[in-house]
Amino acid sequence: MDPFLFDYMILPTLILLARIVDVSMDTLRLNLVAKGYRNYAPIIGFFQSLVWVITISRVMVNLENWTAYAAYASGFALGTYVGMRIEEKLALGYELIRIVTRTDATELVTHLRDLGFAVTSVIGEGRDGEVGILFVVLKRKTVSEVVEIIKSHNPKAFYTIEDMRFVSNAAYLPRSRKVIPSRANAR
């Protein structure tokens, strides 16, 4: 094999790919720790560090090769992006959606409960008077679905989404929801 081809094409490509794997694994490892899945983090950390050692040793052996540096840095950037996308697709953990409404939220509460979501509703006092405050703890995979429901039932509602590190009684939350057509769609 031509040494030039290996040094300036194949080696940088391998470094780039290895770095994407390394940094993606690091992103996943950190997110697993943050979400409370601490048993998996050391396993991922082992393989991540193994890939990193192999990769950095190839860079150090080829200190005169600027393409190895560029591939290493590019792999870090791409690995960060790929790791975030993987973590987003896995959507591990739980979220809290806090919804504040000025209008009556009974229909929204009923609809969410009909779909199997656990909703806590209280009356509060806002700047301009009485408000409804809803708390929904749910699996992260269903956040976008609930946001769409909020927007369709009460488009002016104020809501925040908070990452939850720990849920004390996750057994209380439904494992799967029964899918019931929206009352708005049934009309």
Side-chain angles (χ1 to χ4, degrees), residues 28-179:
L28 288 175
R29 181 183 59 81
L30 291 172
N31 278 295
L32 287 172
V33 169
K35 300 283 185 191
Y37 297 94
R38 294 190 170 139
N39 294 335
Y40 301 107
I43 297 165
I44 292 174
F46 170 81
F47 290 106
Q48 177 220 342
S49 65
L50 182 64
V51 171
W52 180 83
V53 165
I54 293 167
T55 306
I56 197 68
S57 68
R58 293 294 89 209
V59 172
M60 297 306 282
V61 167
N62 293 283
L63 288 175
E64 74 292 340
N65 185 348
W66 67 270
T67 59
Y69 300 146
Y72 188 85
S74 298
F76 183 86
L78 289 170
T80 300
Y81 177 77
V82 169
M84 289 187 310
R85 297 293 298 183
I86 291 170
E87 195 278 329
E88 184 180 294
K89 293 290 181 195
L90 290 175
L92 298 172
Y94 296 93
E95 301 281 325
L96 168 69
I97 300 182
R98 187 178 300 110
I99 309 157
V100 180
T101 66
R102 288 190 211 189
T103 60
D104 181 28
T106 305
E107 187 177 322
L108 175 59
V109 170
T110 302
H111 186 72
L112 288 170
R113 287 180 179 159
D114 285 348
L115 290 173
F117 292 103
V119 181
T120 300
S121 174
V122 296
I123 303 296
E125 185 70 29
R127 181 184 71 188
D128 298 326
E130 190 174 278
V131 295
I133 305 169
L134 312 178
F135 299 93
V136 185
V137 176
L138 48 100
K139 290 190 176 189
R140 194 166 150 225
K141 292 179 181 184
T142 59
V143 167
S144 60
E145 177 185 351
V146 171
V147 167
E148 288 305 313
I149 293 168
I150 294 166
K151 288 178 180 177
S152 70
H153 279 79
N154 194 335
K156 293 185 178 180
F158 172 79
Y159 62 91
T160 59
I161 302 170
E162 181 179 332
D163 187 42
M164 303 191 77
R165 184 173 173 186
F166 175 75
V167 176
S168 68
N169 194 359
Y172 174 70
L173 300 174
R175 291 191 185 275
S176 63
R177 296 178 330 284
K178 45 190 170 183
V179 178

